[in-house]
């Protein structure tokens, strides 16, 4: 089972900027990424091996040896999570000031200051080095508290919190502890944030409300009204826009001459819209596109500009319909599209 975590890489004293470089990749080793934690007082391979075998008990024994019972605080669980609970392929969300990074743990190795590649540490901007005492120091001789490391793969970096983190994820990013296992709902928020970031679609309350409301409108249209009333709804929509609407008589032309359910004229603009209205679930095929395009070819009209539409309650259109629509210059409107169009003009005056 893949788990999701939040983990802070502030580490200990003087370490935050170096930990961020390790995560992003140093200028000499940009392809290598590591997340870090502090606890450099415990950072040796003997301790790593003991924890691999004994888990939290091994951590408690070492802390007791180093600092006595006063060292057995809640924070040791953060070290335990980092060393034992976070596993290969788990996802980790890392807060970075006003952004966040999402990465995946690359392997099950926990590195200490004995086993980490020192050339990587030394390549960090600022010139870290390890002294004989086993601790890391910067070029000014300041002690830097990084002690343990996990190799990670960057999924996305630099995602702005305010624009892409829903409330549950945003709250988790503000958690002041070092790390935290995320719930399934927050994990879903993480995946959604990645997807929206890649599409360059930040959270927009208007869009969220519109999307949610459109789903309800579409459900009601599908469940409450039959085919003829759906045509009346399309007619009402165009009248609401200010068009003069005509409805060609049924069977007024042969099948081979095509068909239009509604003709909406915007005379001041010289625009005429010919519409096929279909009350379909699932997918709408190319028949409606063929009918409206054929009708337009047989009935030329006198408007300066003509548009051909198919409006359906469908989820989507078939590949054949899309291909024909592109060739014949027909606009295909899905059920969600039309529901949003209804919401845009408002429902005042709707009596169906």
């Amino acid at each position: 089972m893949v788990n999701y975590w939040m983990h802070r890489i502030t580490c200990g004293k003087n370490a935050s900027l170096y930990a961020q470089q390790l995560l992003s990749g140093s200028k000499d080793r940009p392809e290598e990424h590591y997340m870090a934690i502090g606890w450099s007082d415990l950072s040796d391979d003997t301790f790593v091996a003991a924890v691999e075998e004994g888990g939290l008990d091994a951590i408690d024994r070492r802390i007791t040896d180093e600092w006595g019972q006063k060292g057995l605080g809640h924070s040791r669980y953060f070290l335990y999570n980092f060393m034992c609970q976070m596993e290969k392929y788990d996802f980790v969300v890392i807060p970075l000031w006003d952004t966040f990074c999402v990465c995946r743990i690359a392997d099950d190795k926990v590195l200490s200051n004995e086993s980490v590649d020192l050339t990587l540490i030394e390549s960090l901007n600022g010139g870290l080095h390890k002294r004989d005492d086993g601790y890391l120091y910067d070029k000014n001789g300041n002690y830097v508290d990084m002690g343990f490391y996990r190799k990670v793969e960057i999924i996305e970096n630099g995602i702005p919190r305010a624009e892409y983190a829903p409330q549950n994820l945003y709250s988790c990013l503000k958690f002041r502890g070092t790390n935290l296992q995320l719930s399934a709902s927050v994990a879903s928020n993480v995946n959604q944030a990645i997807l929206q970031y890649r599409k360059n679609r930040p959270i927009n309350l208007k869009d969220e409300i519109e999307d949610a409301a459109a789903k309800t409108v579409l459900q009601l249209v599908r469940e409450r009204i039959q085919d003829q009333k759906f045509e009346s709804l399309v007619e009402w929509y165009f009248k609401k826009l200010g068009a003069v609407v005509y409805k060609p008589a049924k069977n007024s032309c042969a099948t081979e001459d095509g068909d239009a359910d509604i003709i909406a004229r915007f005379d001041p603009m010289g625009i005429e819209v010919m519409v096929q209205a279909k009350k379909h679930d699932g997918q709408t095929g190319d028949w409606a596109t063929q009918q409206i395009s054929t009708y337009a070819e047989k009935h030329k009209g006198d408007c300066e500009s003509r548009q051909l539409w198919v409006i359906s309650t469908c989820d989507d259109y078939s590949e054949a319909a899309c291909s024909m629509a592109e060739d014949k210059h027909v606009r295909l409107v899905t059920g969600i599209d039309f529901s949003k169009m209804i919401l845009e003009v408002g429902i005042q005056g709707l009596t169906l």
Side-chain angles (χ1 to χ4, degrees):
M1 178 181 176
V2 174
N3 291 311
Y4 285 68
W5 301 83
M6 187 285 297
H7 177 72
R8 293 190 178 281
I9 56 169
T10 47
C11 301
K13 189 175 181 181
N14 302 319
S16 179
L17 292 178
Y18 298 105
Q20 289 185 41
Q21 289 183 55
L22 274 177
L23 180 67
S24 299
S26 70
K27 63 179 181 179
D28 296 329
R29 312 265 285 272
E31 74 287 351
E32 295 186 46
H33 309 277
Y34 293 83
M35 64 178 187
I37 196 170
W39 299 86
S40 56
D41 287 333
L42 310 179
S43 183
D44 56 62
D45 290 347
T46 300
F47 177 64
V48 172
V51 173
E52 286 177 351
E53 182 177 348
L56 187 61
D57 289 341
I59 293 175
D60 286 349
R61 284 194 298 271
R62 179 66 179 271
I63 289 176
T64 301
D65 291 343
E66 293 283 338
W67 302 302
Q69 289 294 321
K70 66 180 181 180
L72 295 179
H74 182 76
S75 61
R76 74 193 197 281
Y77 287 103
F78 300 139
L79 180 60
Y80 173 65
N81 287 340
F82 185 88
M83 298 184 72
C84 300
Q85 298 295 90
M86 296 182 185
E87 299 180 344
K88 183 179 179 180
Y89 302 127
D90 281 358
F91 288 85
V92 183
V93 180
I94 298 177
L96 296 169
W97 190 237
D98 59 349
T99 67
F100 63 96
C101 170
V102 182
C103 57
R104 181 188 289 128
I105 298 178
D107 57 41
D108 286 319
K109 295 179 182 178
V110 177
L111 303 174
S112 72
N113 282 336
E114 286 186 348
S115 55
V116 71
D117 185 347
L118 288 180
T119 62
L120 174 65
I121 298 297
E122 291 166 357
S123 73
L124 298 178
N125 192 15
L128 285 187
H129 62 281
K130 188 173 79 169
R131 292 184 181 174
D132 292 341
D133 60 7
Y135 294 107
L136 300 178
Y137 294 86
D138 66 20
K139 64 183 179 181
N140 296 318
N142 298 309
Y143 159 64
V144 176
D145 184 14
M146 287 192 300
F148 298 95
Y149 313 86
R150 300 291 301 268
K151 189 173 184 178
V152 298
E153 169 196 356
I154 301 296
I155 305 300
E156 285 294 345
N157 200 0
I159 305 176
R161 292 194 204 186
E163 285 79 7
Y164 292 96
Q167 182 59 53
N168 286 347
L169 174 56
Y170 194 88
S171 296
C172 289
L173 292 171
K174 293 170 66 177
F175 174 68
R176 301 316 301 172
T178 303
N179 49 49
L180 174 73
Q181 186 172 355
L182 304 179
S183 67
S185 63
V186 178
S188 178
N189 286 164
V190 174
N191 293 333
Q192 184 67 18
I194 294 170
L195 181 63
Q196 296 301 97
Y197 179 68
R198 289 173 176 173
K199 292 180 177 180
N200 193 27
R201 291 187 58 187
I203 293 170
N204 182 297
L205 185 58
K206 176 182 178 294
D207 290 344
E208 298 277 351
I209 292 172
E210 186 179 71
D211 288 343
K215 291 176 183 177
T216 300
V217 170
L218 178 57
Q219 181 179 355
L220 290 171
V221 169
R222 284 174 171 172
E223 293 177 355
R224 299 293 186 181
I225 64 175
Q226 33 79 0
D227 296 5
Q228 188 174 353
K229 277 199 171 183
F230 180 64
E231 289 185 15
S232 297
L233 179 62
V234 175
E235 179 184 0
W236 169 87
Y237 168 76
F238 281 101
K239 286 181 177 178
K240 186 83 170 179
L241 290 178
V244 176
V245 177
Y246 303 91
K247 297 184 70 175
K250 296 299 180 183
N251 303 318
S252 62
C253 57
T255 301
E256 60 269 19
D257 289 339
D259 181 39
D261 295 312
I262 290 167
I263 299 175
R265 293 176 61 105
F266 298 87
D267 290 326
M269 295 180 287
I271 296 173
E272 181 178 71
V273 183
M274 292 183 169
V275 184
Q276 263 276 316
K278 295 295 181 185
K279 192 164 184 291
H280 287 171
D281 289 339
Q283 190 176 81
T284 292
D286 62 357
W287 177 245
T289 307
Q290 181 179 327
Q291 285 293 92
I292 196 65
S293 59
T294 302
Y295 185 89
E297 291 170 2
K298 301 290 185 178
H299 301 78
K300 296 301 183 181
D302 58 359
C303 282
E304 297 177 15
S305 176
R306 172 181 290 176
Q307 298 179 17
L308 309 181
W309 290 22
V310 176
I311 299 178
S312 173
T313 55
C314 66
D315 295 321
D316 57 21
Y317 288 85
S318 70
E319 185 175 339
C322 293
S323 177
M324 183 181 293
E326 183 176 1
D327 182 54
K328 299 293 187 179
H329 305 291
V330 178
R331 178 181 178 183
L332 302 180
V333 179
T334 66
I336 282 292
D337 293 335
F338 187 52
S339 297
K340 290 181 179 180
M341 290 157 63
I342 291 172
L343 291 171
E344 285 176 0
V345 300
I347 61 171
Q348 186 176 0
L350 180 61
T351 57
L352 296 176

